[in-house]
Amino acid sequence: MKQASQGADRLDLLQTFVRIVEAGSLSAAAQQLGTTQPTVSRRLQQLERQLGLRLLQRSTHAMKLTGDGERCFEHAKGLLERWDATLADLRGVQDAPRGHLRVLVPSVFGQQQLVPPLVAFLQQHPAVSVEWLLHDRLPDFIAEGIDCAVRIGVVEDPGLVAIRLAELPRIVVAAPGLWGDGPLPQTPAELARLPWLALNTFYRDEVELMHAGRGQPARFAIRPRLSTDHLYALCNAVRGGLGVGIASTWAVAEDLTAGRLVQLAPDWTAPALPISLVHPPGRFPPARLRAFIALMRDYLPQVPGVRPPSRPPRSV
């Protein structure tokens, strides 16, 4: 009985450690676990004594995983997920999604286009809670305790699993009359003579376009009057008549319909941006992550201004 009790205690210690990392602080972990901060701190110290390792570096303002802590977190999270799956299997319980999911999504796309599927996901799986983080970057999945991220653009890290979900078509837009009194610009050469704005995340000092019918590429240099890393700022500046910009069709659809913006050189478009769901590799993705991926796969290609991926998505 004593040995079994010690095993259960160790699982509790690992669960507390995982919750500390995911919550970001001892106090937040204590609140989520329904206990006190001294209790959580005592469990962390007990786990560190048992392992003979320092797992966290703490100061009055910050908490950071040590190298040993990162490895412990990865192993502990996998162990707890396998333990839950083992209990469910032995008890004859279906592998239903449950637990907490931390998801990082693009700041604009994540608060507009991705909220409806998030709501549907939570309604379908009442035993799951989600922390929805809005940032235009790839996270340090282990250090930040992120389960998955929705990424717009190419994912170059070969150590991550990237599941292609959909693509974002992009077009050239400007405020009406920006080009002067003449006809609407139709060619890259005409576009190159106009004032430009840059979205640093995807283009800075050069524009690449593709002819929709012939597949003919065209590139030209630009000297942006304004450079920004946020889509809202770019679209607002374009609407204000400051210059030409490249934007995803979903982001400017209402402005085009209302006449606030005009698509320039309609036969030429920028390369579509891939939308991927990214997560660290693991042999046993938890049911909540598998369910979230499945819902995103079904939903994203149906979003206005988004299209299915040009190649089949990878399986999980």
Side-chain angles (χ1 to χ4, degrees):
M1 291 297 293
K2 183 177 180 181
Q3 186 176 3
S5 175
Q6 288 177 343
D9 289 344
R10 288 168 184 162
L11 285 175
D12 288 341
L13 296 181
L14 290 174
Q15 185 178 47
T16 299
F17 172 62
V18 168
R19 189 60 62 91
I20 291 170
V21 175
E22 291 182 338
S25 69
L26 299 182
S27 58
Q31 184 176 9
Q32 293 179 13
L33 291 169
T35 185
T36 64
Q37 182 173 335
T39 298
V40 169
S41 179
R42 187 166 55 250
R43 290 177 185 173
L44 173 61
Q45 293 169 6
Q46 185 178 351
L47 178 62
E48 290 180 326
R49 283 197 303 270
Q50 288 187 9
L51 296 174
L53 300 170
R54 184 71 177 270
L55 302 178
L56 291 174
Q57 293 178 344
R58 285 181 286 166
S59 67
T60 54
H61 302 293
M63 182 186 76
K64 183 180 180 181
L65 282 167
T66 64
D68 291 326
E70 290 185 5
R71 291 191 293 274
C72 181
F73 175 76
E74 185 174 0
H75 288 303
K77 194 167 183 180
L79 175 63
L80 291 169
E81 289 167 354
R82 291 193 293 274
W83 175 248
D84 289 341
T86 299
L87 289 179
D89 180 65
L90 293 176
R91 293 170 179 170
V93 178
Q94 186 179 6
D95 185 19
R98 59 174 59 84
H100 190 66
L101 197 64
R102 299 191 82 211
V103 184
L104 188 144
V105 296
S107 58
V108 178
F109 200 68
Q111 62 183 299
Q112 289 190 17
Q113 307 299 89
L114 294 182
V115 169
L118 169 64
V119 172
F121 175 76
L122 290 172
Q123 289 174 338
Q124 292 175 19
H125 305 291
V128 178
S129 61
V130 172
E131 189 171 353
W132 198 247
L133 305 171
L134 300 164
H135 295 286
D136 295 309
R137 59 176 176 81
L138 270 178
D140 183 332
F141 286 91
I142 303 302
E144 298 179 55
I146 303 296
D147 293 287
C148 66
V150 176
R151 175 70 173 171
I152 296 177
V154 177
V155 179
E156 298 178 343
D157 189 338
L160 297 173
V161 178
I163 304 164
R164 185 73 63 91
L165 300 176
E167 292 179 347
L168 285 177
R170 296 186 298 158
I171 60 175
V172 180
V173 293
L178 176 77
W179 57 92
D181 297 329
L184 184 77
Q186 298 289 342
T187 66
E190 293 174 286
L191 295 178
R193 293 193 289 266
L194 300 176
W196 273 84
L197 313 180
L199 185 59
N200 292 339
T201 318
F202 302 115
Y203 69 98
R204 294 174 180 265
D205 52 14
E206 184 181 72
V207 168
E208 179 184 1
L209 300 176
M210 189 76 65
H211 191 276
R214 300 190 299 268
Q216 173 188 350
R219 291 183 179 87
F220 55 87
I222 61 172
R223 297 181 63 182
R225 299 193 62 200
L226 170 70
S227 298
T228 179
D229 62 354
H230 202 279
L231 180 61
Y232 273 159
L234 176 80
C235 290
N236 286 334
V238 172
R239 279 193 295 267
L242 188 60
V244 180
I246 294 175
S248 303
T249 54
W250 72 268
V252 295
E254 292 184 4
D255 289 315
L256 292 172
T257 301
R260 293 185 292 266
L261 292 178
V262 177
Q263 181 180 358
L264 306 187
D267 290 336
W268 294 84
T269 60
L273 296 175
I275 309 174
S276 303
L277 192 142
V278 185
H279 65 86
R283 292 182 59 193
F284 304 104
R288 60 183 177 272
L289 179 56
R290 297 198 305 270
F292 184 75
I293 293 172
L295 185 140
M296 286 296 175
R297 266 183 168 155
D298 291 339
Y299 177 88
L300 269 181
Q302 305 174 40
V303 172
V306 175
R307 70 190 187 199
S310 56
R311 58 179 175 81
R314 293 161 57 186
S315 60
V316 180

